[in-house]
Amino acid sequence: MKYLLSDIARMCGGVLHGGDIEVRGVTADSRSCAYGGDVLFAAMRGANRDSHDYVGEMYDRGVRAFMVERIERQMPRDGAGYVVVDNSVEALQLLAAAHRAAFRGVMVGITGSNGKTVVKEWTACSLLPSVRFLASPMSYNSQLGVALSLLMIEGDEDVALIEAGISERGEMERLERMIRPDVVLFTSIGEAHQANFSTLREKVDEKMVLARNARTFIYHGSYGDVAEALTALPATCRIVDASTEDISELPACNEALRIDAQEVKSLCRELGYAVPRLSPADAAMRMEVKEGVNGSTIIVDSYNSDINSLALALDTLRDAAAGGPSTAVIYDMSHSGMDDAELYARVARLIRNAGVDRVVGVGERIRAHAGAFDCDKRFYDTTEELLSVMTHGDAAGRAILLKGDRRAHFDKVCRALERRCHTTVLEVNLNAMTHNVNYFRRFLPMNHRLVAMVKAHSYGTGDAEVAQLMRHLGVDYLAVAFADEGITLRERGVTMPVVVLNADEASFDKMIAYSLEPEIYSFHSLGDFIRCAERYGVRNYPIHVKLDTGMHRWGFIEDEIDRVAEILRTTAAVRAATVFSHLSCADDPAQDDFTREQIARFDRMSRRLSDALPYTPIRHTANSAAIERFPEAHFDMCRLGLGLYGYGYRHNDELQPVATLKTRIVQIRGRRAGDAIGYGRSQRLERDSLIATIPIGYADGLDRHLGGGRWSMLVAGRPAPTVGRICMDSCMIDVTGIDGVREGDEAVVFSAAAGNTLEDMADVLGTISYEIMTSVAMRVKRIYTRE
């Protein structure tokens, strides 16, 4: 896009104040590195944040063009231009609709309950390299995301692939007015985002609004609710059932992926392009963050290799680097709608804005424009040439982005740089974690403070990666159990305030050395820490005072409040940053009366302590369950524990479990009826069977009590029960009857998306989700994904 601010004001009904600046892009995220003199920053008041507060910061970074809902006195004026609108999201939607109207390519709108991003990216991969196209970045499918996606259109693309997601009635009409799709592809229908719809059919009808002016509608005949709604389409619309597409080339995979593959083929056929031969590997188009060699972090982005997705990937790189050194390995860009000189000048600017100090370019086109980059730079014609000279020393202590589409073959570079090569992996979905934070924020006032519980390696999901996401999401505090966990965060570049919950005298010196803040729960710990702080000569060191309001684990009781206040008033060494307590049964409706007694007791005790001090500490007692159930417990701050990771006090379809444990089959053997499998010959086969061995055992966190068929992995979406005992490093599963199964195929140990959930496993074992999550061994590779 390329518009003057006066054009933008006219198209969206705003009023221009200040300079009439030309803009080439739009961002609504003040943390984005896609800023500069030709980027419009759209400020808006959201449910939890007001980004007008960041206008000055964006100006300092070089932004001069703004869309705002109000002009405030402190906003910079020199050289700046402001388009003032009533509502920034609605204004961007009007701007996007006007921009889309000038597009002359084929507009494809993709909707459905699940699979939108997979189908979009799989199609994009199939169109490479001959077709110019735009694919909306990641899961940009919301009211704001669709507008931003459409505004990325340069104008000379042949095809635009735009996701459209909804969560309530009325939303699709607004999206349709922007997208105005020529072709609509309906991926699936299911329970996702069902909360605001009374029936599945009601949700189908809402999604069908996207196709009310389309000329082609593609769906899959296996979804009966969609088939029944076809009468709502205009008579001129061509209807295509993808269920007839031949996908015999696909190896064993789950049914959802097979349906996605058929729809991808139908879409390519309807667009007039060659129908591709598909591989499930081409559907894994996502961003992954992995632990690398020599203290490095590896970010692998196999999304489209275009300027828009690069900007998003660089945001992740900057977060991972946390102010340290970073490297961007970039393959030849494609589908930019601009000539190479302008394209790589913009790439270089993004690199500079993201603070990247080293660029590695791969490909003849980026190498030809090496002069555009003003940092440490290295260029190679091919990935093989890069691999021939790359050493582990090049990665030491760095955050490294590998940015390129499938043509780049950067998976080879990733394998060379990864620290762990264990076949078993725990995938942690950072999008799901973001969703969960925003879910709990719905119950809280704007800008309400949050603590994220990242103890026990973030409930088994990781440490610095989760912490950096929390910082990005505006969480105020992190909480760990022991000082060693906090030290790990500090050594990995985490600078947020960190509370240590199990603080003792032996760790106090290190806590001060690493700026960690102790929970203080007794006069003994209070006195010890004050003496330690005085020994180091520090003043007003933040501590967190724990009150016992009924859980009776630890904390000061009501009769001790006056003495605590007296000690805190008379010392200059420490300061009570917060006063807090722990609700013991906020998740149990049968004990609500006791919980309310705890909340009232905490209010009384904490107020008494606060009133006795010359300053006002932050008060907090609400955990995840209390955020939802007890508004009176919100006070000044709330704590997110298991809810952050997608589990609640009850089954909750709106929370998204973040962790998936999976591995791969390493051997398949036919076994005869009567054969005994595994240690102790504890299980004999009752029939001729196909038995697969997978490399996960109790040393990886797979409980031995899951053997003998008490748990099933999922292979190609079908259950494969365990056979025999769980070994230390491996186990066996029965894959008899699973068509096309072969060595190397994926076996899902637990996954909410796949259907064998962590909660189901907990029920089998008679335990809780916490225990299983925290039992996944550290030797299991963690991969952090953004869908």
Side-chain angles (χ1 to χ4, degrees), residues 201 205 208-209 211-213 226-235 239:
R201 178 57 189 272
D205 290 342
M208 293 292 286
V209 170
R212 64 185 179 186
N213 294 304
V226 179
E228 292 174 6
L230 295 178
T231 55
L233 296 173
I239 299 173

Side-chain angles (χ1 to χ4, degrees), residues 456-493:
H457 202 58
S458 298
Y459 290 47
T461 65
D463 41 50
E465 293 81 6
V466 175
Q468 295 294 5
L469 177 64
M470 294 303 102
R471 180 189 65 80
H472 190 76
L473 295 176
V475 170
D476 300 273
Y477 281 88
L478 302 174
V480 298
F482 300 102
D484 289 347
E485 295 175 322
I487 291 170
T488 297
L489 292 176
R490 290 287 186 252
E491 289 179 342
R492 295 199 61 191

Side-chain angles (χ1 to χ4, degrees), residues 331 362-363 380-390 406-413 415:
Y331 190 69
V362 179
Y380 306 93
D381 285 336
T382 65
T383 300
E384 288 69 26
E385 185 183 350
L386 165 62
L387 285 167
S388 70
V389 298
M390 186 178 70
R406 291 296 182 191
R407 297 172 300 165
H409 299 295
F410 280 169
D411 54 317
K412 299 177 183 178
V413 181
R415 285 196 296 271

Side-chain angles (χ1 to χ4, degrees), residues 230-253:
L230 295 178
T231 55
L233 296 173
T236 56
C237 183
R238 170 178 161 78
I239 299 173
V240 178
D241 182 353
S243 62
T244 60
E245 290 286 350
D246 177 17
I247 50 170
S248 56
E249 76 271 20
L250 279 184
C253 60

Side-chain angles (χ1 to χ4, degrees), residues 36-58:
D38 61 353
V39 171
L40 173 73
F41 174 60
M44 56 195 68
R45 179 181 172 88
N48 302 294
R49 300 282 175 181
D50 187 342
S51 57
H52 289 82
D53 297 339
Y54 301 102
V55 167
E57 180 180 330
M58 296 299 282

